[in-house]
Amino acid sequence: MVVSPRAWIFHKGVTFSRRKSISKIHKDLYGIWYAATQLGEFSEEAIFELNYLGQKYAKWFKIFQENLRNWTKNASPIDW
């Protein structure tokens, strides 16, 4: 079975900050970006459904947002 894009993005957003390897963190972030922006209607649907998950699991979605916000705020130019 294959997990849905919305669930995969949600899971990676919640868990990437726990990775020990910086290359794995970058891989997860690239995957989130790619699935959320580069697949046309597939990406649009995933983002729409991700918002639904955010409402259904508000506490986890807050962690998702904080992880992305913290990484963005603390990323060095080399990370970008």
Side-chain angles (χ1 to χ4, degrees):
M1 294 186 73
V2 176
V3 68
S4 72
R6 69 178 176 168
W8 186 86
I9 292 171
F10 194 63
H11 172 73
K12 290 298 178 178
V14 171
T15 62
F16 81 88
S17 64
R18 297 181 189 153
R19 294 277 211 168
K20 301 214 185 301
S21 167
I22 193 72
S23 65
K24 295 287 189 174
I25 291 172
H26 290 160
K27 177 181 156 276
D28 290 348
L29 290 169
Y30 176 79
I32 291 169
W33 169 81
Y34 191 85
T37 64
Q38 300 300 303
L39 302 173
E41 289 181 29
F42 191 69
S43 294
E44 291 173 18
E45 185 177 321
I47 294 300
F48 180 77
E49 292 174 348
L50 182 63
N51 289 326
Y52 168 75
L53 285 177
Q55 293 173 359
K56 188 172 180 181
Y57 302 102
K59 183 178 177 182
W60 288 104
F61 195 66
K62 185 174 181 178
I63 293 169
F64 175 92
Q65 291 175 314
E66 288 174 0
N67 284 347
L68 291 175
R69 191 176 303 118
N70 288 338
W71 187 86
T72 302
K73 185 170 59 173
N74 296 315
S76 68
I78 194 78
D79 291 325
W80 288 98

